[in-house]
Amino acid sequence: GTITARQIEAVRRTLTNYTKRQVKIWIKAFPDYPKTSKALGVRMGRGKGNIDFWVAKVNKGTILFEVTGKDLNLIQKALMKAKAKISVNTRVIRQYEELE
């Protein structure tokens, strides 16, 4: 699937606002593919349309965002709110580090 640059920005804003900047966020998806469209009512031919928006291609198993912080409960709630902003099916994955 694809996610747009607007969706990525909406997730970033949701994460920063909900966590009140207590966490560190890494965005792994970058919108580097342009999507073009022609204006409504324009006749066929005459070349390709202008760039309308940018998208990031997302394959199955791709990590979109990484979040670190001390309050895991807060991070979990923030990611659940951010899931609603993306048009592809997502899930939250947790990675534990063993402390020695």
Side-chain angles (χ1 to χ4, degrees), residues 22-85:
Q22 296 176 1
V23 298
K24 179 76 174 157
I25 302 167
W26 288 274
I27 301 172
K28 298 289 191 168
F30 185 76
D32 52 354
Y33 293 99
K35 288 292 183 176
T36 60
S37 66
K38 296 186 109 178
L40 198 64
V42 174
R43 294 186 179 194
M44 297 292 285
R46 310 225 185 231
K48 198 171 186 177
N50 295 329
I51 294 174
D52 196 21
F53 56 94
W54 294 83
V55 298
K57 290 187 179 180
V58 178
N59 295 328
K60 187 175 181 179
T62 303
I63 295 176
L64 300 175
F65 300 94
E66 287 186 21
V67 182
T68 60
K70 293 189 179 196
D71 191 1
L72 294 179
N73 193 20
L74 178 69
I75 293 172
Q76 184 79 19
K77 288 180 182 177
L79 287 172
M80 288 300 163
K81 283 192 174 284
K83 264 172 81 165
K85 311 283 183 186

Side-chain angles (χ1 to χ4, degrees), residues 7-19 25:
Q7 291 173 343
I8 294 171
E9 179 63 14
V11 169
R12 187 194 65 78
R13 283 184 176 181
T14 302
L15 290 174
T16 55
N17 290 339
Y18 190 80
T19 60
I25 302 167

